[in-house]
Amino acid sequence: MMADLLNARDNLKENPNDQFLAEELAKILSSKVEDLIREDKIPKITILLEELDELSIRFNKSKNIHRIYGSSVLNSLPIYFAHTTQTAVKQLINKLRETAIQTKSEPLTDILSMILVNAIYDFSLINQVGSINMFAIELSDLSKQYPTNERIQTAAAKGMMNATFYFIQNKDLQAARKYFQTLEKVLQQNQKKEFVDSRQLIQLREFFSKE
């Protein structure tokens, strides 16, 4: 694997504008990240993710590289959450967000929305209210910016439901109602889609009708 990685880097260095070679390098980097995830080698993962980020910016028209980079971050986040600091997790998310904005990449934005759903859940496990609010608001904003993107709408619905349940459990009904109202707006805009568990949705509607 290391020889393949070195060869791919050399090939791109010799042909710096070749998108095909860049995509081949991205695939190898992603495969190496997967290996390192299994070995819990976070510093090395960070270096490879930074290289993928640089490729994503350099070849900003390559949806393949963007998908590979985004998926690698998505797959790496659980191990970062388990073995590093909240700051390190947020830095990883922030870097991907910045690249998504800089490259105007819809594939990266799609994956960002999925990451935010997971982040709401993960940070709820350690009761980080500020972070949960931050991620939920960002998801809500994305749902407004991309009203026809089904992946982002799905992520927004799931994230709002997770946030609503979290704040109900923590007896902050004002925050819970706010995110439930956002959930209802997302569902109203996508009436033919079933984005969330219907039984849980019924529970929430019954709860707020009585509250």
Side-chain angles (χ1 to χ4, degrees), residues 16 19 30 44 72 77 82 93 95 97 109 133 142 149 156 197:
Q19 184 171 305
S30 179
K44 291 183 178 180
S72 293
L77 276 168
I93 297 172
K95 185 179 284 284
R97 181 192 301 109
T109 306
N133 278 314
L142 284 175
N149 184 310
D197 185 283

Side-chain angles (χ1 to χ4, degrees), residues 7-40:
N7 287 336
R9 283 171 175 157
D10 287 343
N11 289 338
L12 184 59
K13 192 172 182 179
E14 292 173 7
N15 303 276
N17 298 317
D18 192 318
Q19 184 171 305
F20 174 79
L21 291 177
E23 290 175 355
E24 288 299 304
L25 173 57
K27 290 175 188 175
I28 294 171
L29 288 168
S30 179
S31 180
K32 184 64 175 171
V33 167
E34 292 298 323
D35 291 341
L36 292 171
I37 288 172
R38 289 189 287 271
E39 298 170 10
D40 290 353

Side-chain angles (χ1 to χ4, degrees), residues 40-51:
D40 290 353
K41 294 184 177 178
I42 292 173
K44 291 183 178 180
I45 293 171
T46 301
I47 292 170
L48 297 185
L49 291 178
E50 288 173 352
E51 188 171 353

Side-chain angles (χ1 to χ4, degrees), residues 4 33 44 50 60 77 102 110 128 135 143 151 154 170 178 209:
D4 291 343
V33 167
K44 291 183 178 180
E50 288 173 352
N60 57 22
L77 276 168
Q102 181 177 341
D110 288 352
Q128 294 298 307
F135 295 135
S143 73
R151 288 181 290 272
T154 302
N170 286 271
K178 177 178 71 172
S209 69

Side-chain angles (χ1 to χ4, degrees), residues 93-156:
I93 297 172
N94 290 345
K95 185 179 284 284
L96 185 141
R97 181 192 301 109
E98 290 165 7
T99 299
I101 293 169
Q102 181 177 341
T103 61
K104 299 178 181 178
S105 169
E106 195 152 327
L108 275 181
T109 306
D110 288 352
I111 294 171
L112 173 62
S113 70
M114 293 160 45
I115 286 171
L116 292 172
V117 175
N118 293 345
I120 290 171
Y121 176 78
D122 290 339
F123 279 81
S124 71
L125 297 176
I126 54 175
N127 289 316
Q128 294 298 307
V129 176
S131 296
I132 295 166
N133 278 314
M134 180 180 67
F135 295 135
I137 290 169
E138 185 174 1
L139 255 184
S140 176
D141 290 344
L142 284 175
S143 73
K144 295 171 187 173
Q145 291 173 34
Y146 298 89
T148 61
N149 184 310
E150 188 171 323
R151 288 181 290 272
I152 291 174
Q153 294 298 309
T154 302

Side-chain angles (χ1 to χ4, degrees), residues 162-208:
N162 289 346
T164 301
F165 273 116
Y166 172 79
F167 284 109
I168 288 174
Q169 289 165 2
N170 286 271
K171 304 189 186 317
D172 185 345
L173 297 187
Q174 183 177 355
R177 179 173 286 281
K178 177 178 71 172
Y179 293 121
F180 177 68
Q181 289 171 344
T182 303
L183 168 62
E184 289 283 46
K185 288 177 184 176
V186 172
L187 296 178
Q188 190 172 10
Q189 292 168 1
N190 300 273
Q191 293 184 12
K192 295 183 179 179
K193 307 293 183 182
E194 188 171 333
F195 289 157
V196 295
D197 185 283
S198 57
R199 289 173 297 177
Q200 291 183 322
L201 181 60
I202 291 169
Q203 288 175 358
L204 287 177
R205 285 173 173 164
E206 289 178 347
F207 176 85
F208 284 108

